[in-house]
Amino acid sequence: EAGVVQSPRYKIIEKKQPVAFWCNPISGHNTLYWYRQNLGQGPELLIRYENEEAVDDSQLPKDRFSAERLKGVDSTLKIQPAELGDSAVYLCASSRGQLVELLGETQYFGPGTRLLVL
Amino acid sequence: DAKTTQPTSMDCAEGRAANLPCNHSTISGNEYVYWYRQIHSQGPQYIIHGLKNNETNEMASLIITEDRKSSTLILPHATLRDTAVYYCIVGYTGNQFYFGTGTSLTVIP
């Protein structure tokens, strides 16, 4: 079974340019997460989807970040315009999203997209 | 917002057991303890999780104290490939994992 797929793996852009990251979760996983990981820190949640609905986007900087999961499967995270401080690794994760609290749901992570803003 | 406390770094000799501690004194009754690790330039990898009982799988063992306020991840025979940052996470707070900064484990030849 394929894991979480992300592309691109690396991206270098100049500040003020737009950038987009793509994620395809594990087949059958209803819940999808986008995390950002700064150098030397643990991942921090940006947004969580249950199917196509964004149920937690409180940490997403909405002035420049947007995300979508139109058909409840793959997802795109966009930054426009990018700033120097956006340089980080952007991680996508997925989980089955069923009976979460009772069953101790496990999140599975993709390899991440490493973004460098110059 | 981190709900766990871990040592910043640890060393372990190759072939020996690596015991990674984690304190989670504010854990609530229905929250699980998860362990993930992250090898350089890769996404976090799931290791193990548990609620009350000790757990074991092909990668590691998880020992949770009776009061559930702390736990220990045990890698029984550490190899060089186990060098990574290990995250102890208590969840599930609205499905959000608070990773903190983890423990950087170095396995020494």
Side-chain angles (χ1 to χ4, degrees):
Chain A
E1 179 182 283
V4 177
V5 179
Q6 291 188 248
S7 68
R9 290 296 312 278
Y10 305 91
K11 190 73 175 179
I12 301 174
I13 61 172
E14 295 186 346
K15 63 181 180 181
K16 300 184 182 180
Q17 294 300 307
V19 64
F21 315 123
W22 177 80
C23 171
N24 192 37
I26 293 173
S27 178
H29 280 196
N30 298 321
T31 306
L32 184 146
Y33 315 76
W34 283 102
Y35 287 83
R36 177 170 60 187
Q37 185 173 22
N38 294 314
L39 188 64
Q41 303 295 316
E44 296 179 335
L45 182 71
L46 292 173
I47 189 169
R48 172 172 67 93
Y49 281 93
E50 295 285 350
N51 298 303
E52 63 275 6
E53 181 182 1
V55 296
D56 183 359
D57 63 356
S58 58
Q59 303 301 314
L60 189 72
K62 299 181 181 61
D63 57 336
R64 298 183 299 107
F65 285 65
S66 64
E68 60 183 14
R69 193 185 185 199
L70 295 176
K71 298 183 179 179
V73 180
D74 58 348
S75 175
T76 302
L77 177 69
K78 298 178 182 178
I79 308 175
Q80 182 171 9
E83 297 178 352
L84 296 178
D86 296 330
S87 295
V89 177
Y90 290 84
L91 293 159
C92 180
S94 70
S95 64
R96 288 180 302 164
Q98 299 173 0
L99 298 177
V100 168
E101 286 83 4
L102 294 178
L103 298 181
E105 196 79 333
T106 299
Q107 296 183 24
Y108 296 93
F109 285 80
T113 296
R114 188 174 298 273
L115 173 68
L116 178 61
V117 182
L118 302 176
Chain B
D1 291 334
K3 299 170 63 175
T4 64
T5 303
Q6 300 178 251
T8 302
S9 63
M10 294 181 62
D11 294 337
C12 178
E14 186 178 19
R16 304 298 291 265
N19 297 281
L20 290 84
C22 179
N23 288 321
H24 32 80
S25 58
T26 60
I27 190 171
S28 63
N30 60 352
E31 289 184 314
Y32 284 73
V33 179
Y34 292 81
W35 283 84
Y36 281 75
R37 72 180 183 185
Q38 190 170 26
I39 297 171
H40 184 62
S41 297
Q42 298 183 20
Q45 176 190 23
Y46 166 78
I47 301 174
I48 198 168
H49 75 288
L51 183 61
K52 296 180 180 178
N53 300 321
N54 298 337
E55 301 287 344
T56 297
N57 62 20
E58 64 277 5
M59 291 183 66
S61 294
L62 173 61
I63 308 298
I64 303 174
T65 59
E66 189 170 350
D67 63 8
R68 303 210 323 124
K69 293 184 177 181
S70 65
S71 62
T72 301
L73 178 74
I74 300 173
L75 308 178
H77 306 286
T79 71
L80 299 179
R81 288 177 295 181
D82 291 323
T83 292
V85 177
Y86 287 77
Y87 295 100
C88 169
I89 302 160
V90 167
Y92 229 84
T93 308
N95 295 5
Q96 179 171 162
F97 279 175
Y98 295 99
F99 277 79
T101 54
T103 296
S104 178
L105 175 69
T106 301
V107 180
I108 302 170

